[in-house]
Amino acid sequence: MSRVGDGGPAVRRLAEWDATDLLALAEEYDTPLYVIDRDRVAENCARLREAFPDADISYAVKAHTGQAVLRTVREAGLDAECASAGEVERAFEAGFTGNRIRYTAVNPPGRDLDRVVGRWQANPELTITVGAADTVDRLRDRGFDGRLCVRANPGVGAGHHEKVRTGANAKFGIPIERVADLAEAWAAEFDLVGVHAHAGSGISGDDLTAHRELVSRMGDLAREVESRGGGLEFVDVGGGFGVPYRSEEPPLDLDAVAAATREALGDVAGRSPAGCQAELGNVDATLSIEPGRYVVADAGVLLTRVNTVKEARDATVVGVDAGMTTLLRPAMYGAYHAIRNLSAGVDSDTDGEPNATGDRETVPVTVAGPICESADVLCEERPLSRPERGEVLAVGNAGAYGYEMSNTYNTRPRPAEVARSGTTVRLVRRRETAADLTELER
């Protein structure tokens, strides 16, 4: 198995967040509280631009749709890849223009197509990516004849969990062996601008073999489409670049990923950055990627307060005010997030876990939320400085799919969110109230 080495850029670990600053935010804004560092978002965007200087990079908006994040991404020069009509609206609100927005439709509801086609009529440079011939029929019925990208199902997927491996899942894209025929037919009716595929989410160095295979198949597809007279502006090989959630996991080596991507596409000859072109054999098209998690994961933490400490038969259960409605990933994917007791005043290692040098005893604890479900735990048997009621815990790598997947199960309002840049902190999403949850009821 190919593996990316340890030479990648440093990732921001939980221990690198200033405990005093985070405790002050918890005191001022209450908990649960999401904290997003806009400076780190900008740094991650710059790192991607450096590794892929000739590529078209679009941020996968679904990772975090907050306006503070979207504006930071736009200012950093990345475009927006949107998975829904709502995300398209958010992108426009954040200042993206139509030529910097791609809408990737997955079994889109009619109202989504109505809204996006309406936006396209006023912004004809907007691109729509389709993953089914049926979607093209529905677009045609709405009068769309603009910029079309075709999503292929390459038959190979990767990612941190089976639920996010999209490349071989029948739900996503048109079987790659059928795409060239359809693209040839659609090129006569629409402005065919690209082909697209996505392996999955949270791809690690261990998944590089699958990534290479997907990219290679997309290169072959691009050449076939070109051979039939269908010139392409871009070949989009997706994103899904992972970040290390555990201390023993090295940062993803973006330079190695970029080199592997160019090699797998086939006979890539770099052009000037101004042209942003990569020659794919006999296909003159832009390499396009769409990272999401990599941009925002380590730019966010979740703060939560301890309300209960219980000595159960086989575990010390620490109850907190954040649960699976606040951060769903542990319950949904069994995902690991580093957790740190900010109030304990102990030194921590690079993963945010306490060292034995602290004054307080370190004990294995299960951190559980307030939701009436056994899956509502943030960790089990995790060594932490023994938490006490009222103390604040920080949950790391919460910037991607944290707030986005939050929900109101058990009628629990969603948390507040603050964004910081330098020394400036701003409340960017107020805390929901019970009244907010019943406002739409009749």
Side-chain angles (χ1 to χ4, degrees), residues 163-251:
K163 293 181 181 179
V164 299
R165 295 168 193 154
T166 60
N169 189 314
K171 174 180 176 179
F172 301 96
I174 298 168
I176 195 168
E177 63 272 15
R178 302 178 192 168
V179 170
D181 288 339
L182 291 172
E184 182 178 15
W186 291 335
E189 184 178 358
F190 302 90
D191 183 8
L192 182 68
V193 294
V195 290
H196 167 279
H198 180 62
S201 183
I203 297 172
S204 69
D206 292 326
D207 299 316
L208 193 55
T209 298
H211 175 73
R212 284 176 183 268
E213 181 61 27
L214 177 143
V215 174
S216 177
R217 295 182 187 186
M218 291 303 293
D220 291 342
L221 173 62
R223 278 180 283 275
E224 184 175 0
V225 171
E226 172 69 18
S227 71
R228 300 188 184 196
L232 298 174
E233 289 184 15
F234 62 86
V235 178
D236 189 336
V237 297
F241 305 147
V243 297
Y245 284 77
R246 297 176 181 268
S247 60
E248 65 271 20
E249 297 172 344

Side-chain angles (χ1 to χ4, degrees), residues 75-117:
E75 292 165 3
L78 273 60
D79 294 342
E81 187 274 328
C82 304
S84 70
E87 290 181 7
V88 170
E89 296 295 338
R90 283 181 175 268
F92 274 113
E93 184 178 350
F96 287 93
T97 51
N99 64 321
R100 296 183 61 184
I101 296 175
R102 293 180 192 166
Y103 167 56
T104 303
V106 179
N107 300 329
R111 63 175 61 90
D112 273 34
L113 293 183
D114 291 340
R115 290 172 66 186
V116 174
V117 170

Side-chain angles (χ1 to χ4, degrees), residues 287-325:
L287 167 64
S288 182
I289 60 172
E290 50 185 50
R293 181 190 310 274
Y294 189 90
V295 174
V296 291
D298 70 350
V301 296
L302 169 64
L303 306 181
T304 182
R305 193 175 298 276
V306 176
N307 55 53
T308 306
V309 179
K310 178 173 64 175
E311 297 297 335
R313 292 188 185 91
D314 301 317
T316 298
V317 179
V318 176
V320 296
D321 59 6
M324 61 187 288
T325 57

Side-chain angles (χ1 to χ4, degrees), residues 24 35 61 71 79 92 138 144 164-165 196 217 225 249 269 276 281 284 297 311 343 345 382 418 426 440:
V35 181
V61 171
R71 290 194 168 106
D79 294 342
F92 274 113
R138 298 167 69 200
F144 176 79
V164 299
R165 295 168 193 154
H196 167 279
R217 295 182 187 186
V225 171
E249 297 172 344
C276 289
D284 191 32
E311 297 297 335
S343 304
R382 186 81 61 82
V418 297
R426 187 166 62 91
L440 300 179

